[in-house]
Amino acid sequence: MKKIALILATGSLIATGAAIAQPMGETGERAPATRDAVIAKTDKAFARMDANGDGVLSEADKAARMAKRFAAMDTDGDGMLSQAEFMAAHEARAEKRAERREMRGERRGGERMGMRGMRSGRGGPEGMIKRADANGDGQVTKAEMQTAALARFDRADADSDGTISAQERKAVRAEWRGKRGEQ
């Protein structure tokens, strides 16, 4: 049961990371990112994650999201997940991902923002949330989340023009890959 809860928590945070990724442009490349777009996407992700609407992401929010996902997966309402229920939910999520990928014109194995942290050894989504917690109180406010997202944006915006171009995105990606290779 604890494994399922951990999988659900990780999945919801990964989805959050993916929500901050940029949309595809007409050429199949990621469209240029702007500071305003980062703020809007961060606001949307924060609102989705703030289950109790108190303006702070906390363990209570994570527990509420996990309970909601569990309830959706527990189709017979018996308070337990059978293997069939778990597999059905897993397959439904895979279908939704495939549909979204197809709508965006992505190929399988394309850029997956949320998984990078897990591969880089930086703690995955949990590490992303911890890094956003600027005051170390175990909770993340909307301001902390926006500050962390904009700091990442500013690091990528090499020419400080308020837009991350395809070239800047490629440079950041190459830098991240280099750092992963060093670990």
Side-chain angles (χ1 to χ4, degrees), residues 61-134:
D61 293 306
K62 184 167 47 170
R65 287 189 314 272
M66 285 177 25
K68 184 178 178 181
R69 285 195 69 187
F70 182 88
M73 292 171 65
D74 183 19
T75 56
D76 62 10
D78 67 355
M80 295 185 286
L81 285 183
S82 67
Q83 185 173 6
E85 288 171 322
F86 182 80
M87 292 307 295
H90 176 74
E91 290 169 9
R93 282 193 312 274
E95 287 175 16
K96 284 183 182 179
R97 276 192 306 271
E99 288 171 10
R100 285 192 308 264
R101 195 177 294 126
E102 189 174 314
M103 284 177 30
R104 291 188 309 249
E106 287 185 13
R107 63 190 183 284
R108 180 158 175 77
E111 191 172 345
R112 291 171 53 198
M113 192 85 161
M115 296 299 287
R116 281 196 208 134
M118 293 176 76
R119 282 185 259 144
S120 70
R122 296 182 64 193
E126 293 290 335
M128 182 176 64
I129 296 296
K130 285 180 183 175
R131 287 188 303 276
D133 182 12

Side-chain angles (χ1 to χ4, degrees), residues 103-165:
M103 284 177 30
R104 291 188 309 249
E106 287 185 13
R107 63 190 183 284
R108 180 158 175 77
E111 191 172 345
R112 291 171 53 198
M113 192 85 161
M115 296 299 287
R116 281 196 208 134
M118 293 176 76
R119 282 185 259 144
S120 70
R122 296 182 64 193
E126 293 290 335
M128 182 176 64
I129 296 296
K130 285 180 183 175
R131 287 188 303 276
D133 182 12
N135 63 3
D137 65 355
Q139 301 179 70
V140 178
T141 65
K142 186 176 178 180
E144 287 174 319
M145 190 169 171
Q146 278 187 351
T147 299
L150 289 173
R152 287 189 305 273
F153 179 91
D154 290 341
R155 282 192 302 270
D157 185 14
D159 61 7
S160 300
D161 68 351
T163 301
I164 299 175
S165 67

Side-chain angles (χ1 to χ4, degrees), residues 1 4 7 34 39 51 60 82 101 110 112 123 125 142 148 159 173:
M1 189 62 117
I4 293 172
I7 290 168
T34 64
I39 291 169
S82 67
R101 195 177 294 126
R112 291 171 53 198
K142 186 176 178 180
D159 61 7
R173 195 175 310 130

Side-chain angles (χ1 to χ4, degrees), residues 11-60:
S12 68
L13 288 170
I14 289 170
T16 301
I20 298 175
Q22 296 302 310
M24 297 294 276
E26 292 178 20
T27 64
E29 292 258 341
R30 294 262 180 221
T34 64
R35 288 181 65 83
D36 289 341
V38 169
I39 291 169
K41 289 179 184 198
T42 303
D43 286 350
K44 185 176 177 181
F46 188 90
R48 187 178 59 249
M49 292 171 60
D50 187 13
N52 61 9
D54 67 354
V56 177
L57 301 181
S58 64
E59 290 297 318

